[in-house]
């Protein structure tokens, strides 16, 4: 019975969107453009594109599994302050975005955003950044393209790996409809990879990130351990701040 509930409710467990009215007005400290991407016939993706006067590059940011752009845009401003343009989209069903959830849908919408940036920036100026859920999506894109670099905050080996940790008594391999196999994507990534993970992360185990590191290309992967870091507070640690500053210098 619980196993059946896990199958039918897995989207409610994995994805925790909050919704925004279509006329909601975003307010941020930096100049931005609000965008709507019609990625397919029944899909409309809302995005925020921060723009600076003389950017060092552009960060395509894929956020975590909860909230919407009113929250994630504020987090994106951290990178705008370091003189980077930033594009952040809300996934289907998040914020003002519409469309049916599917794993392939996440990849397709991410590819649409990447193609949008390629019309305005050189590929060597694009930095892919994934946080939590978004790490699998960012890694997928990096495996298909040649961005400047890939930054992963609180990454996972795969969603299946995290599910096995969270539900050890259930046959999650048979039940799970979403895989996000970062472990498979990362083997094809050619650009520099930097991972940040806290040892006290209660959402994505530190061991899952370590496992991902073990299959990542060793010659272009850096793994930064944040002792005592949790899932949502790495930005408060000097080691994270120094690492980001070094990467985005």
């Amino acid at each position: 019975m619980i196993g059946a509930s896990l199958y039918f409710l897995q989207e409610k467990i994995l994805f925790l969107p909050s919704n925004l009215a279509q006329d909601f007005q975003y307010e941020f400290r930096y100049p931005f453009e609000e965008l709507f991407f019609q990625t397919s016939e029944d899909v409309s993706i809302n995005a925020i594109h921060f723009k600076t006067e003389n950017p060092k590059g552009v960060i395509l940011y894929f956020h975590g599994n909860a909230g919407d752009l009113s929250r994630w845009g504020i987090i994106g401003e951290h990178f705008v302050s370091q003189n980077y343009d930033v594009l952040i989209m809300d996934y289907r069903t998040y914020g003002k975005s519409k469309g049916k959830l599917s794993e392939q849908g996440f990849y397709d919408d991410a590819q649409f955003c990447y193609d949008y940036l390629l019309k305005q920036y050189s590929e060597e100026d694009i930095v892919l950044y994934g946080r939590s859920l978004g790490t699998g999506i960012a890694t997928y894109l990096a495996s298909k393209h040649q961005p400047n670099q890939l930054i992963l905050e609180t990454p996972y080996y795969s969603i299946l790996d995290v599910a096995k940790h969270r539900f050890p008594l259930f046959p999650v391999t048979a039940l799970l409809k979403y895989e996000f196999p970062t472990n498979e994507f990362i083997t094809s990534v050619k650009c520099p990879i930097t991972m940040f993970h806290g040892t006290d992360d209660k959402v994505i185990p530190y061991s899952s990130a370590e496992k991902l590191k073990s299959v990542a290309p060793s010659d272009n992967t850096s793994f930064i351990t944040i002792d005592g870091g949790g899932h949502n507070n790495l930005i408060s640690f000097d080691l994270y701040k120094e690492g980001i500053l070094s990467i985005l210098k």
Side-chain angles (χ1 to χ4, degrees), residues 1-17 101 166-167 175-178:
M1 184 67 178
I2 297 177
S5 297
L6 180 62
Y7 177 80
F8 290 109
L9 296 176
Q10 62 184 272
E11 287 184 346
K12 293 186 180 298
I13 295 171
L14 282 173
F15 311 118
L16 304 171
L101 282 172
R166 186 170 179 183
F167 304 103
L175 295 172
L176 205 61
K177 293 186 290 184
Y178 293 84

Side-chain angles (χ1 to χ4, degrees), residues 139-222:
T139 307
Y140 167 83
L141 274 186
S143 73
K144 303 293 184 182
H145 300 282
Q146 297 289 336
N148 180 277
Q149 57 189 303
L150 172 66
I151 304 172
L152 304 176
E153 181 184 347
T154 63
Y156 47 83
Y157 185 79
S158 66
I159 288 294
L160 179 61
D161 184 63
V162 176
K164 285 180 178 179
H165 178 84
R166 186 170 179 183
F167 304 103
L169 300 180
F170 297 100
V172 293
T173 301
L175 295 172
L176 205 61
K177 293 186 290 184
Y178 293 84
E179 297 182 359
F180 292 103
T182 315
N183 60 304
E184 296 178 13
F185 302 146
I186 206 164
T187 59
S188 300
V189 175
K190 302 294 191 297
C191 68
I193 304 167
T194 305
M195 303 184 200
F196 296 90
H197 212 100
T199 56
D200 290 353
D201 193 321
K202 299 299 191 293
V203 178
I204 297 175
Y206 178 75
S207 59
S208 189
E210 282 191 309
K211 195 173 173 183
L212 180 63
K213 177 197 172 187
S214 72
V215 299
S218 58
D219 58 342
N220 62 322
T221 300
S222 299

Side-chain angles (χ1 to χ4, degrees), residues 49-244:
H49 191 179
F50 292 100
K51 295 183 178 180
T52 60
E53 287 191 12
N54 296 294
K56 298 176 184 175
V58 61
I59 295 173
L60 179 52
Y61 186 103
F62 296 100
H63 66 63
N65 75 329
D68 57 63
L69 285 178
S70 63
R71 168 197 174 191
W72 293 106
I74 293 171
I75 292 174
E77 288 184 308
H78 173 69
F79 305 105
V80 183
S81 70
Q82 297 179 52
N83 207 33
Y84 274 80
D85 288 356
V86 179
L87 179 67
I88 310 176
M89 75 167 186
D90 253 343
Y91 308 127
R92 302 176 183 195
T93 75
Y94 285 69
K96 303 181 188 182
S97 294
K98 298 181 180 299
K100 184 178 179 181
L101 282 172
S102 73
E103 183 168 348
Q104 188 59 50
F106 279 93
Y107 303 144
D108 291 345
D109 297 342
Q111 181 63 61
F112 192 99
C113 289
Y114 198 88
D115 291 341
Y116 166 81
L117 290 181
L118 285 176
K119 296 174 184 176
Q120 305 174 53
Y121 304 87
S122 168
E123 189 168 34
E124 64 185 13
D125 292 326
I126 298 177
V127 175
L128 293 175
Y129 193 113
R131 188 192 185 290
S132 191
L133 172 67
T135 58
I137 302 165
T139 307
Y140 167 83
L141 274 186
S143 73
K144 303 293 184 182
H145 300 282
Q146 297 289 336
N148 180 277
Q149 57 189 303
L150 172 66
I151 304 172
L152 304 176
E153 181 184 347
T154 63
Y156 47 83
Y157 185 79
S158 66
I159 288 294
L160 179 61
D161 184 63
V162 176
K164 285 180 178 179
H165 178 84
R166 186 170 179 183
F167 304 103
L169 300 180
F170 297 100
V172 293
T173 301
L175 295 172
L176 205 61
K177 293 186 290 184
Y178 293 84
E179 297 182 359
F180 292 103
T182 315
N183 60 304
E184 296 178 13
F185 302 146
I186 206 164
T187 59
S188 300
V189 175
K190 302 294 191 297
C191 68
I193 304 167
T194 305
M195 303 184 200
F196 296 90
H197 212 100
T199 56
D200 290 353
D201 193 321
K202 299 299 191 293
V203 178
I204 297 175
Y206 178 75
S207 59
S208 189
E210 282 191 309
K211 195 173 173 183
L212 180 63
K213 177 197 172 187
S214 72
V215 299
S218 58
D219 58 342
N220 62 322
T221 300
S222 299
F223 188 93
I224 299 176
T225 296
I226 311 293
D227 288 325
H231 191 69
N232 296 311
N233 66 351
L234 297 192
I235 197 170
S236 65
F237 288 81
D238 288 340
L239 190 57
Y240 170 84
K241 295 178 200 175
E242 293 163 0
I244 290 295

